[in-house]
Amino acid sequence: MKRYLLTILLSLWCACAWAAGSVTVKGRVLCGGRGVEGVWVSDGEEFACTDKRGNYRLQAGADNRFVFVCVPAGYDAPVEKGVVRYFHPLPADGKSCDFTLLRRAGDDSRYGFIAIADPQIWAPKEFAKLAAAADDIAATVRSYGGMPFHGICCGDIVSHDHSLYGRYNEVMERTGITFRNAMGNHDMKVYGRSYETSFSKFEQMYGPVYYSFDVGRIHYVVLDDNFFIGRDYFYIGYLEERQMRWLEKDLARVQPGSTVVVCLHIPSTCEEQDRKQFRYDRAGSTMTNHRGLYEILKPYRAHIISGHTHTTFNQPIAPGLYEHVTPALSGAWWQGPLCTDGTPAGYGVYEVNGDRIDWYYKSTGYPADYQMKIYSGREYPQFEGYAVANVWASDPAWEVQFTIDGVPCGPAERFQAYDPAAKQMYSDTSQMDHKWIYPSISDHYYRVALPEGAKRVEVSATDRFGRISRAAADLK
C-alpha cells in the first residue's frame, strides 16, 4: 500500500513539475473570418494542428518566446512594414492567441523565389547601393511576366547596428516581393554572456530565428546556425540540438521524397574537404555538426541555401542533397562590386514547377546570361600558359568548352584559383572602410592550354539545366 501511495505521489509531483514549466496556448487560425483546418502551430519545441473550425491547443514551454504558424501552401501571412507576421509573443497561460492568414490567388505550384545573402548594411550611406540592388531584383521579377515570387535573405542583414533594420525593410520593399529572413552572425547581439543572449535584437524585429512554411509543393525551413560562444563577437557554425529536435518533428509531417529547402546563414559545407576533416581554425566558416542535419534530411530531396562567405560554392553533397552558398548582395561589404572570389555581387534566382527547382545566379547590373570572365596567361602570370574562365555559378555538372581562334580545345580542367580582378581590387584596402578584406581562393575556374600566338578565346558554359552562356576575349 505504501509503495502504491508513493507511486501516486511521485506521479503527481512529476505532473506538477511538468505543468509548472509549460503554458497552455489556444486560439484559432482564420482566413476571411473562417477557421482553417490542418494548419500547424508551434512554439519552437512542440506542435499542434488546427481542427475543422481552425481551433488549436498547444502545450508550450514556458521559457519559449513565441508561438508561430507554419504558413501552409495556398496561404500567406500578413506583412507589416516589410515583416511577415506569422508569429506572436508567447501569451500568458490560458490566453487566446489567434492567427490570420490570407488566401493566395491562383495556383502556387509554379512560382519563383529570390535568395540573397549578406546585404550587411554597416552605415546609412550604403542604403543607396542596396536600393540599386533591390531595383535589379524588381526588374528580374518583372521579367517573368507576373509569375509570383517570394524572397529569402540568408542572414547578415546588417553589420551589428540593429537600428538599421527598419530602414533596410523599407528599401527592400522596392523589390515588390516579400522577404523572409534567416539570422546571420552579424545580426547577433554580441558581447553578451551566452548564446541565449545573442538573438534578442533579431527577434524583436523579425520574430523566431527558426520556423517553416510551405509554398506549393515545396516545404521551406529557416534555421539559425550562428552559435555565439559568449566571448566578444566570436561564434562557430553549429546547429543546436533544440533546433534539430524541432526540425525532426517539423519534417515528420512532410512526405518522404518531397522537396525541402533549408535556409540558414553559415554554410553546412563549402567543399568536400571540410566534410571529411574538421579544422578548429575553420569552425566559424562552416557548420561543425553538419552530419546531424544531413541525416535528418536523408528522406527528402533537399536544397540548403546559405551565405556568409561572400563567395560562391555550389556543392552536390550526396544524392538528393545540394548546397547553394550564395554570394553576397553587398559584394565585398559594399567596398567593391566583386565578391572576394571574383563573383559579381548578386543573388540567386530559383524557378519552381511543382516539386522541381531550377536555378541560376544573377549579377546585379548585368544581364542574366553574364556568367563568366575570361583571363589569359599572357596578362596574368598566375595563369601562364593557359586560357582561363572564372565561371562563378558553376558546379561539376556544368560543361565548359573553349574555342581558340575558331578551333575547339579541351577538355577544360576545373581547378582552384584566385580571381585576378578581385586580387587587384582587394589587395590594398587602405582607402576602404574595412581593412580586413582580402581575396579568396575558390573552385569555379576552368582552363585549357593557350597556344603560342593565339588571338581570340571563346567560352561556352552549359549548366545542369541546359542553359548556355557565352563569353569571348581578344588577347593582347
Side-chain angles (χ1 to χ4, degrees), residues 104-125:
R104 277 178 173 259
D107 180 14
D108 63 358
S109 64
R110 185 170 177 81
Y111 62 92
F113 67 92
I114 302 293
I116 67 171
D118 303 273
Q120 209 157 333
I121 296 295
W122 174 73
K125 65 181 180 180

Side-chain angles (χ1 to χ4, degrees), residues 86 153 169 171 178 196 205 232 353 357 395:
Y86 65 97
C153 176
N169 296 341
V171 173
T178 298
E196 287 76 15
M205 176 58 72
D232 301 339
N353 187 358
I357 302 178
D395 65 32

Side-chain angles (χ1 to χ4, degrees), residues 131-275:
D135 291 344
D136 193 279
I137 293 172
T140 295
V141 171
R142 287 195 302 270
S143 73
Y144 281 83
M147 189 168 83
F149 268 79
H150 65 270
I152 299 171
C153 176
C154 295
D156 277 5
I157 300 167
V158 298
S159 191
H160 292 306
D161 186 351
H162 304 97
S163 69
L164 299 175
Y165 277 150
R167 179 81 182 278
Y168 169 86
N169 296 341
E170 290 176 9
V171 173
M172 290 304 290
E173 287 181 328
R174 298 169 69 111
T175 64
I177 62 175
T178 298
F179 273 83
R180 290 175 170 87
N181 299 285
M183 181 175 161
N185 60 289
H186 284 271
D187 296 309
M188 299 187 307
K189 183 182 180 218
V190 293
Y191 294 95
R193 70 181 189 181
S194 67
Y195 163 72
E196 287 76 15
T197 67
S198 65
F199 29 76
S200 60
K201 293 296 185 182
F202 179 92
E203 288 186 336
Q204 285 174 18
M205 176 58 72
Y206 298 110
V209 295
Y210 59 95
Y211 55 96
S212 67
F213 60 97
D214 292 279
V215 183
R217 294 167 60 184
I218 309 294
H219 184 67
Y220 295 83
V221 180
V222 176
L223 299 173
D224 171 24
D225 64 340
N226 315 278
F227 196 90
F228 173 62
I229 63 173
R231 181 69 180 268
D232 301 339
Y233 51 84
F234 297 111
Y235 60 91
I236 62 173
Y238 179 82
L239 192 62
E240 58 171 336
E241 178 63 19
R242 175 187 178 87
Q243 291 185 59
M244 293 262 198
R245 290 178 181 172
W246 175 87
L247 180 60
E248 288 174 325
K249 294 176 183 178
D250 178 72
L251 291 178
R253 60 190 175 87
V254 178
Q255 184 73 23
S258 299
T259 301
V260 174
V261 174
V262 177
C263 301
L264 40 75
H265 182 61
I266 297 176
S268 76
T269 182
C270 288
E271 56 186 353
E272 186 178 8
Q273 185 60 32
D274 66 46
R275 300 193 293 276

